[in-house]
Amino acid sequence: MKRAAGQAKPLQLAACIQTIIYIAMAHEAENTSPTSQVGESDPDALLSPPPDARPEPGLNGKPVRWYDADRTESYTRIAPFQELHDTSIEFFYKPITLTALGFGLAALSYVAMTQDVLEEGRDKRRVGAYAAVVSFLMFSMIQFRDGPFIRPHPAFWRAILGINLLYELALVFLLFQDLNSARRMMTLLDPSLNRPLPEKSYAEHCELTPQNIWDSIDIFCLAHALGWFGKAMILRDYWFCWILSIAFEFAEYSLQHQLANFAECWWDHWILDVLVCNWLGTYLGMKTCQYLEVKPYEWRGLRQTRGLRSKARRVLSQFSPHDWTAFKWEGTASFLHYLIVVLLLAVFLAAELNPFYLKSLLWMEPDHPIVILRLAGVFLCALPAVRELYQYINNPRKAKRMGQHVWLLLATILTELLVITKWGKGRFTEPLPLYVRWAWAIGGILLVLYPAIRFGVPSVRKYVGKQKQKRKGKGKGKKVQ
């Protein structure tokens, strides 16, 4: 008995020491981390060992291979981008997946079993394609992950992601077709297509007269202003919009030897487009962003509001943002920010230029519904995509990886470039003018030279200074010896 008691004392002493260490570690974590969840009134949490915030990779101290990795480990789990819910309309966030499945199948069976749809001799391919698209979008609304936006409802933005995915799949399908086959396939959407269109140039009558300027004002001026209003809502930065506006005009100068639509008068480029339409749309868009930034957001449910006017205002406010984040791209803050801004500028330019080539290759008018739907779809897809990219750059701890919207939109724009490159072989035979080559060369040199001077030279100086300090430290150590 004495021997057993003698053995128990060291065990009790070790347990007490371990408890004291845990309490000290918890107290230190509480003092150093302002977001710690451990409170003073929770002694069980203090006595429990603190969890590892960042578990080391590996499985039982051994490297993890792709075929024997334990997918239940914390380092393989994926944190969702958005877990916020609009508590003012909690009813619409309740899981009703089986109910939606039942209604969807009922509607599908009703349409499929209706006699006029199954009537002999009628073309049922279009109805079947529409039904497949609606079914896929329904699955997207229910099962896709949430994005950064929760208004009017996360399901709406899941459907936007589904539309983007369908468009990407259609582009991948068209990528493996030749141009003539693609033109014939477009007649399934619109029988009036697959007819050659004359190229229209806007570089005629370029004298700067009031009559010529008035003749150039058409519905596309309003489209320009609305487009730049949307870009301002997406980018939320004056300088970025101005740089993109000027870069697009230079891109039109560079590519007017391929498409006649890019040929415009000088005052059409810089006065009518940049200084009037683009500036007006950007100004109104940025003023809207500033209003949404300073607007107080205090949401109440429909039941908490009193009066018909208040309830109607609450219903309309559901289509406004839940909150607003001002963007500060800071392209000169670091090399990473500079690289992201340049790449984002290039992607936006590609997204702006792609529809001109696609409508020219597929013989579609600029005001064709497919062209307009493509522009509207890219706008809706770009809203959450740029928001995800901004958070991925500026808050990497919360955004563990690049968001699904930005990933898919980037894939879509690049696939459009592949389609244009494939179909454009042998069709744009005129060589690049010499002045355009020099302009692109000078622009590329400046894009490389600026970060080399802004970020590379200070980094080299800092590295050289550290090496000198190390040498001085080694020299002093030898003298002391």
Side-chain angles (χ1 to χ4, degrees), residues 97-114:
T97 56
L98 293 179
T99 305
L101 177 62
F103 276 108
L105 289 177
L108 193 65
S109 60
Y110 172 78
V111 176
M113 301 301 177
T114 305

Side-chain angles (χ1 to χ4, degrees), residues 173-451:
F173 176 79
L174 291 176
L175 181 61
F176 291 89
Q177 314 302 319
D178 59 87
L179 182 56
N180 293 327
S181 299
R183 288 171 177 171
R184 289 193 299 269
M185 291 177 185
M186 295 300 295
T187 58
L188 298 175
L189 300 176
D190 186 357
S192 64
L193 294 177
N194 197 19
R195 297 175 183 176
L197 298 176
E199 290 289 345
K200 184 178 180 181
S201 175
Y202 298 92
E204 300 174 356
H205 309 291
C206 289
E207 295 81 8
L208 185 58
T209 61
Q211 184 63 36
N212 289 338
I213 295 177
W214 178 257
D215 293 338
S216 299
I217 297 176
D218 52 13
I219 190 63
F220 295 107
C221 293
L222 179 61
H224 266 278
L226 290 177
W228 281 99
F229 178 85
K231 294 182 186 71
M233 296 291 293
I234 295 171
L235 295 171
R236 308 178 191 179
D237 188 277
Y238 260 120
W239 282 104
F240 208 133
C241 291
W242 273 112
I243 294 172
L244 182 61
S245 177
I246 296 173
F248 180 76
E249 299 302 325
F250 280 122
E252 284 189 329
Y253 274 117
S254 304
L255 300 172
Q256 64 184 4
H257 65 283
Q258 294 183 350
L259 293 180
N261 289 341
F262 289 150
E264 298 177 352
C265 301
W266 67 268
W267 48 264
D268 199 353
H269 278 292
W270 304 110
I271 297 179
L272 199 58
D273 286 351
V274 175
L275 296 181
V276 178
C277 299
N278 298 358
W279 176 82
L280 181 62
T282 302
Y283 177 79
L284 294 177
M286 290 305 302
K287 284 299 179 182
T288 306
C289 292
Q290 292 173 5
Y291 167 75
L292 295 174
E293 183 180 355
V294 300
K295 176 185 176 182
Y297 292 94
E298 184 178 352
W299 302 108
R300 294 182 180 180
L302 192 62
R303 295 180 180 178
Q304 286 76 24
T305 56
R306 298 180 180 179
L308 183 60
R309 181 179 299 179
S310 299
K311 290 183 180 295
R313 189 181 304 167
R314 176 61 188 87
V315 172
L316 293 177
S317 66
Q318 187 64 29
F319 297 92
S320 63
H322 182 271
D323 50 56
W324 190 260
T325 302
F327 290 172
K328 296 180 181 179
W329 293 102
E330 298 179 350
T332 60
S334 65
F335 178 73
L336 177 61
H337 283 75
Y338 172 81
L339 184 63
I340 292 297
V341 167
V342 172
L343 292 178
L344 185 59
L345 177 64
V347 171
F348 260 83
L349 284 177
E352 288 288 316
L353 296 172
N354 285 348
F356 288 93
Y357 282 92
L358 288 175
K359 69 181 182 62
S360 175
L361 291 169
L362 294 175
W363 293 340
M364 290 187 293
E365 292 284 354
D367 57 349
H368 195 275
I370 295 179
V371 178
I372 297 175
L373 287 175
R374 187 266 178 197
L375 294 175
V378 169
F379 166 72
L380 290 175
C381 295
L383 282 171
V386 176
R387 177 65 178 83
E388 287 180 344
L389 178 64
Y390 183 81
Q391 182 161 344
Y392 179 72
I393 299 169
N394 294 276
N395 194 1
R397 293 185 177 180
K398 185 176 181 180
K400 300 296 183 182
R401 64 178 184 178
M402 186 175 289
Q404 53 188 354
H405 287 274
V406 60
W407 188 94
L408 186 57
L409 184 59
L410 180 61
T412 301
I413 295 172
L414 294 179
T415 308
E416 284 183 342
L417 281 175
L418 290 176
V419 171
I420 294 169
T421 303
K422 178 181 179 180
W423 290 350
K425 288 182 178 179
R427 300 187 180 274
F428 307 111
T429 57
E430 188 174 348
L432 201 65
L434 183 61
Y435 70 92
V436 175
R437 296 181 184 179
W438 278 105
W440 281 102
I442 294 173
I445 292 173
L446 292 177
L447 286 176
V448 175
L449 189 62
Y450 174 78

Side-chain angles (χ1 to χ4, degrees), residues 142-164:
I142 296 175
Q143 299 296 342
F144 278 12
R145 297 200 320 266
D146 289 343
F149 296 156
I150 61 176
R151 286 293 175 94
H153 194 280
F156 171 79
W157 298 106
R158 296 184 211 136
I160 294 298
L161 183 66
I163 293 173
N164 193 359

